[in-house]
């Protein structure tokens, strides 16, 4: 029983030391800075950005 555990531990150790094939030095990834909080509250009850009303004049004539 001990021999089986020793072999399992040895195989696990070899696999762990082999890693996943990633080469090169280990490093911490660069994370982007957090944007500052908005100074003004978001407007409520309004469309943002404001939409323009549809125009009634049609500059292109309809094809007939």
């Amino acid at each position: 029983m001990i021999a089986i555990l020793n072999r399992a531990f040895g195989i696990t150790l070899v696999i762990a030391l082999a890693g996943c094939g990633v080469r090169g030095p280990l490093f911490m990834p660069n994370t982007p800075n957090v944007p500052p909080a908005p100074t003004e509250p978001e407007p409520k009850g309004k469309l943002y950005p404001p939409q323009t009303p549809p125009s009634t004049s049609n500059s292109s004539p309809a094809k007939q």
Side-chain angles (χ1 to χ4, degrees):
M1 181 71 174
I2 298 293
I4 294 172
L5 290 176
N6 283 339
R7 285 183 184 168
F9 177 72
I11 291 171
T12 304
L13 183 64
V14 168
I15 291 172
L17 291 176
C20 60
V22 176
R23 297 180 183 198
L26 298 176
F27 66 95
M28 295 297 291
N30 294 333
T31 56
N33 295 334
V34 177
T39 57
E40 298 177 2
E42 185 175 329
K44 294 184 180 180
K46 298 178 182 177
L47 293 177
Y48 192 78
Q51 295 183 356
T52 59
S55 62
T56 56
S57 63
N58 191 357
S59 60
S60 61
K63 293 183 180 181
Q64 294 179 356

